[in-house]
Short mmCIF file of all heavy atoms in Angstrom, two decimals:
data_model
loop_
_atom_site.label_atom_id
_atom_site.label_comp_id
_atom_site.label_asym_id
_atom_site.label_seq_id
_atom_site.Cartn_x
_atom_site.Cartn_y
_atom_site.Cartn_z
N PRO A 25 -2.58 -7.89 14.29
CA PRO A 25 -2.71 -7.72 15.74
C PRO A 25 -2.56 -6.26 16.16
O PRO A 25 -1.94 -5.46 15.47
CB PRO A 25 -1.57 -8.58 16.29
CG PRO A 25 -1.29 -9.59 15.21
CD PRO A 25 -1.54 -8.87 13.92
N THR A 26 -3.11 -5.93 17.32
CA THR A 26 -3.09 -4.54 17.79
C THR A 26 -1.69 -4.02 18.06
O THR A 26 -1.45 -2.82 18.01
CB THR A 26 -3.92 -4.39 19.07
OG1 THR A 26 -3.46 -5.35 20.04
CG2 THR A 26 -5.39 -4.63 18.80
N ASP A 27 -0.74 -4.92 18.35
CA ASP A 27 0.62 -4.45 18.63
C ASP A 27 1.48 -4.36 17.38
O ASP A 27 2.67 -4.06 17.45
CB ASP A 27 1.30 -5.32 19.69
CG ASP A 27 1.32 -6.80 19.33
OD1 ASP A 27 0.64 -7.18 18.35
OD2 ASP A 27 2.01 -7.57 20.02
N TRP A 28 0.89 -4.64 16.19
CA TRP A 28 1.56 -4.39 14.92
C TRP A 28 1.14 -3.02 14.41
O TRP A 28 0.02 -2.58 14.63
CB TRP A 28 1.17 -5.44 13.88
CG TRP A 28 1.71 -6.81 14.11
CD1 TRP A 28 1.64 -7.55 15.26
CD2 TRP A 28 2.37 -7.64 13.15
NE1 TRP A 28 2.21 -8.78 15.09
CE2 TRP A 28 2.67 -8.86 13.79
CE3 TRP A 28 2.72 -7.48 11.82
CZ2 TRP A 28 3.32 -9.91 13.16
CZ3 TRP A 28 3.36 -8.52 11.17
CH2 TRP A 28 3.66 -9.72 11.83
N GLN A 29 2.05 -2.36 13.72
CA GLN A 29 1.76 -1.04 13.15
C GLN A 29 2.00 -1.06 11.64
O GLN A 29 2.68 -1.94 11.12
CB GLN A 29 2.65 0.03 13.82
CG GLN A 29 2.47 0.14 15.32
CD GLN A 29 1.08 0.57 15.72
OE1 GLN A 29 0.48 1.44 15.08
NE2 GLN A 29 0.53 -0.07 16.75
N THR A 30 1.42 -0.08 10.97
CA THR A 30 1.60 0.02 9.53
C THR A 30 2.59 1.12 9.19
O THR A 30 2.73 2.10 9.93
CB THR A 30 0.27 0.30 8.81
OG1 THR A 30 -0.27 1.54 9.30
CG2 THR A 30 -0.73 -0.82 9.06
N VAL A 31 3.28 0.94 8.07
CA VAL A 31 4.23 1.93 7.55
C VAL A 31 3.90 2.14 6.08
O VAL A 31 3.96 1.19 5.29
CB VAL A 31 5.69 1.45 7.70
CG1 VAL A 31 6.65 2.48 7.12
CG2 VAL A 31 6.03 1.17 9.16
N ASP A 32 3.51 3.35 5.71
CA ASP A 32 3.20 3.63 4.31
C ASP A 32 4.48 3.60 3.48
O ASP A 32 5.42 4.34 3.74
CB ASP A 32 2.53 5.00 4.17
CG ASP A 32 1.14 5.03 4.76
OD1 ASP A 32 0.51 3.97 4.81
OD2 ASP A 32 0.69 6.11 5.19
N LEU A 33 4.52 2.73 2.49
CA LEU A 33 5.71 2.57 1.65
C LEU A 33 5.53 3.17 0.26
O LEU A 33 6.46 3.71 -0.31
CB LEU A 33 6.08 1.09 1.54
CG LEU A 33 6.40 0.38 2.86
CD1 LEU A 33 6.66 -1.10 2.61
CD2 LEU A 33 7.59 1.03 3.55
N GLN A 34 4.33 3.04 -0.28
CA GLN A 34 4.07 3.58 -1.63
C GLN A 34 2.58 3.71 -1.82
O GLN A 34 1.85 2.71 -1.83
CB GLN A 34 4.66 2.66 -2.70
CG GLN A 34 4.50 3.18 -4.12
CD GLN A 34 5.25 2.32 -5.12
OE1 GLN A 34 6.25 1.71 -4.80
NE2 GLN A 34 4.75 2.25 -6.34
N ALA A 35 2.10 4.93 -1.97
CA ALA A 35 0.66 5.19 -2.11
C ALA A 35 0.30 5.29 -3.58
O ALA A 35 0.16 6.38 -4.13
CB ALA A 35 0.28 6.46 -1.37
N GLY A 36 0.20 4.16 -4.24
CA GLY A 36 -0.13 4.15 -5.66
C GLY A 36 -1.62 4.10 -5.90
O GLY A 36 -2.43 3.97 -4.98
N ASP A 37 -2.03 4.21 -7.15
CA ASP A 37 -3.41 4.10 -7.56
C ASP A 37 -3.57 2.77 -8.27
O ASP A 37 -2.80 2.45 -9.17
CB ASP A 37 -3.77 5.26 -8.50
CG ASP A 37 -5.26 5.45 -8.63
OD1 ASP A 37 -5.99 4.43 -8.57
OD2 ASP A 37 -5.72 6.59 -8.79
N VAL A 38 -4.56 1.98 -7.87
CA VAL A 38 -4.59 0.60 -8.34
C VAL A 38 -5.85 0.29 -9.15
O VAL A 38 -6.35 -0.81 -9.14
CB VAL A 38 -4.49 -0.38 -7.15
CG1 VAL A 38 -3.11 -0.30 -6.54
CG2 VAL A 38 -5.55 -0.09 -6.10
N LYS A 39 -6.38 1.25 -9.89
CA LYS A 39 -7.48 0.96 -10.80
C LYS A 39 -6.96 0.10 -11.96
O LYS A 39 -5.78 0.12 -12.28
CB LYS A 39 -8.08 2.25 -11.36
CG LYS A 39 -8.98 3.00 -10.37
CD LYS A 39 -9.65 4.18 -11.05
CE LYS A 39 -10.60 4.88 -10.12
NZ LYS A 39 -11.26 6.04 -10.76
N PRO A 40 -7.86 -0.64 -12.60
CA PRO A 40 -7.42 -1.47 -13.74
C PRO A 40 -6.77 -0.64 -14.82
O PRO A 40 -7.05 0.55 -14.99
CB PRO A 40 -8.73 -2.10 -14.24
CG PRO A 40 -9.64 -2.07 -13.06
CD PRO A 40 -9.27 -0.83 -12.29
N ASP A 41 -5.87 -1.28 -15.56
CA ASP A 41 -5.17 -0.62 -16.66
C ASP A 41 -6.18 -0.04 -17.65
O ASP A 41 -7.19 -0.65 -17.95
CB ASP A 41 -4.27 -1.62 -17.37
CG ASP A 41 -3.43 -0.97 -18.46
OD1 ASP A 41 -2.60 -0.13 -18.12
OD2 ASP A 41 -3.65 -1.30 -19.63
N GLY A 42 -5.90 1.15 -18.16
CA GLY A 42 -6.79 1.80 -19.11
C GLY A 42 -7.59 2.91 -18.48
O GLY A 42 -8.09 3.80 -19.17
N GLN A 43 -7.73 2.91 -17.14
CA GLN A 43 -8.46 3.96 -16.46
C GLN A 43 -7.54 5.05 -15.92
O GLN A 43 -7.98 6.04 -15.39
CB GLN A 43 -9.29 3.37 -15.31
CG GLN A 43 -10.34 2.38 -15.77
CD GLN A 43 -11.22 1.92 -14.62
OE1 GLN A 43 -11.36 2.60 -13.62
NE2 GLN A 43 -11.83 0.75 -14.78
N LEU A 44 -6.25 4.83 -16.05
CA LEU A 44 -5.27 5.78 -15.53
C LEU A 44 -4.21 6.05 -16.59
O LEU A 44 -3.93 5.19 -17.42
CB LEU A 44 -4.57 5.21 -14.29
CG LEU A 44 -5.42 5.02 -13.04
CD1 LEU A 44 -4.63 4.21 -12.03
CD2 LEU A 44 -5.80 6.36 -12.44
N ALA A 45 -3.64 7.24 -16.53
CA ALA A 45 -2.51 7.53 -17.42
C ALA A 45 -1.32 6.66 -17.02
O ALA A 45 -0.63 6.09 -17.86
CB ALA A 45 -2.15 9.01 -17.35
N VAL A 46 -1.05 6.57 -15.72
CA VAL A 46 0.04 5.75 -15.21
C VAL A 46 -0.48 4.96 -14.02
O VAL A 46 -0.96 5.54 -13.04
CB VAL A 46 1.25 6.61 -14.78
CG1 VAL A 46 2.35 5.72 -14.21
CG2 VAL A 46 1.77 7.43 -15.94
N ALA A 47 -0.42 3.65 -14.10
CA ALA A 47 -0.84 2.79 -12.98
C ALA A 47 0.35 2.54 -12.07
O ALA A 47 1.44 2.24 -12.53
CB ALA A 47 -1.40 1.48 -13.50
N GLU A 48 0.13 2.67 -10.76
CA GLU A 48 1.21 2.50 -9.80
C GLU A 48 0.84 1.46 -8.76
O GLU A 48 -0.34 1.31 -8.41
CB GLU A 48 1.54 3.83 -9.11
CG GLU A 48 2.06 4.91 -10.05
CD GLU A 48 2.37 6.20 -9.31
OE1 GLU A 48 1.89 6.34 -8.16
OE2 GLU A 48 3.09 7.03 -9.86
N ALA A 49 1.83 0.78 -8.24
CA ALA A 49 1.60 -0.19 -7.18
C ALA A 49 1.29 0.52 -5.87
O ALA A 49 1.65 1.69 -5.66
CB ALA A 49 2.83 -1.08 -7.02
N TRP A 50 0.62 -0.21 -4.99
CA TRP A 50 0.30 0.28 -3.64
C TRP A 50 0.95 -0.66 -2.65
O TRP A 50 0.80 -1.88 -2.75
CB TRP A 50 -1.22 0.30 -3.48
CG TRP A 50 -1.74 0.65 -2.11
CD1 TRP A 50 -1.94 1.90 -1.61
CD2 TRP A 50 -2.19 -0.26 -1.10
NE1 TRP A 50 -2.47 1.81 -0.34
CE2 TRP A 50 -2.64 0.50 -0.01
CE3 TRP A 50 -2.25 -1.66 -1.03
CZ2 TRP A 50 -3.15 -0.08 1.16
CZ3 TRP A 50 -2.75 -2.24 0.13
CH2 TRP A 50 -3.19 -1.45 1.21
N ARG A 51 1.71 -0.12 -1.68
CA ARG A 51 2.47 -0.95 -0.75
C ARG A 51 2.37 -0.38 0.66
O ARG A 51 2.57 0.81 0.88
CB ARG A 51 3.96 -1.03 -1.14
CG ARG A 51 4.21 -1.53 -2.54
CD ARG A 51 5.69 -1.50 -2.89
NE ARG A 51 6.44 -2.53 -2.18
CZ ARG A 51 7.45 -2.29 -1.35
NH1 ARG A 51 7.85 -1.06 -1.11
NH2 ARG A 51 8.08 -3.29 -0.76
N VAL A 52 2.08 -1.26 1.62
CA VAL A 52 2.02 -0.89 3.03
C VAL A 52 2.83 -1.91 3.81
O VAL A 52 2.65 -3.12 3.64
CB VAL A 52 0.57 -0.85 3.55
CG1 VAL A 52 0.55 -0.66 5.06
CG2 VAL A 52 -0.21 0.27 2.88
N GLY A 53 3.73 -1.44 4.66
CA GLY A 53 4.48 -2.33 5.53
C GLY A 53 3.71 -2.61 6.80
O GLY A 53 2.97 -1.75 7.30
N ILE A 54 3.85 -3.82 7.34
CA ILE A 54 3.28 -4.16 8.65
C ILE A 54 4.43 -4.64 9.52
O ILE A 54 5.22 -5.49 9.13
CB ILE A 54 2.16 -5.21 8.54
CG1 ILE A 54 2.61 -6.45 7.74
CG2 ILE A 54 0.93 -4.59 7.87
CD1 ILE A 54 1.55 -7.56 7.69
N ASP A 55 4.54 -4.05 10.72
CA ASP A 55 5.74 -4.21 11.53
C ASP A 55 5.34 -4.53 12.97
O ASP A 55 4.56 -3.80 13.58
CB ASP A 55 6.55 -2.90 11.48
CG ASP A 55 7.98 -3.06 11.96
OD1 ASP A 55 8.25 -4.01 12.71
OD2 ASP A 55 8.82 -2.21 11.60
N SER A 56 5.89 -5.62 13.52
CA SER A 56 5.59 -6.00 14.90
C SER A 56 6.58 -5.42 15.90
O SER A 56 6.42 -5.62 17.10
CB SER A 56 5.59 -7.53 15.03
OG SER A 56 6.90 -8.05 14.84
N ALA A 57 7.60 -4.71 15.41
CA ALA A 57 8.61 -4.14 16.31
C ALA A 57 7.99 -3.05 17.18
O ALA A 57 7.02 -2.39 16.80
CB ALA A 57 9.77 -3.57 15.50
#
């Protein structure tokens, strides 16, 4: 919804394993406050 906002929690790279030296998770918070 338009009154929810996003909060960047972890900007990882999510290509399949083998295409990166280190694969990291990607996380975004969504907050209605």
Side-chain angles (χ1 to χ4, degrees):
T26 53
D27 55 350
W28 289 51
Q29 300 297 319
T30 60
V31 178
D32 291 333
L33 300 176
Q34 183 173 331
D37 197 327
V38 291
K39 284 186 177 180
D41 184 64
Q43 298 185 24
L44 293 169
V46 178
E48 296 180 344
W50 175 84
R51 304 177 72 239
V52 172
I54 52 176
D55 196 338
S56 67

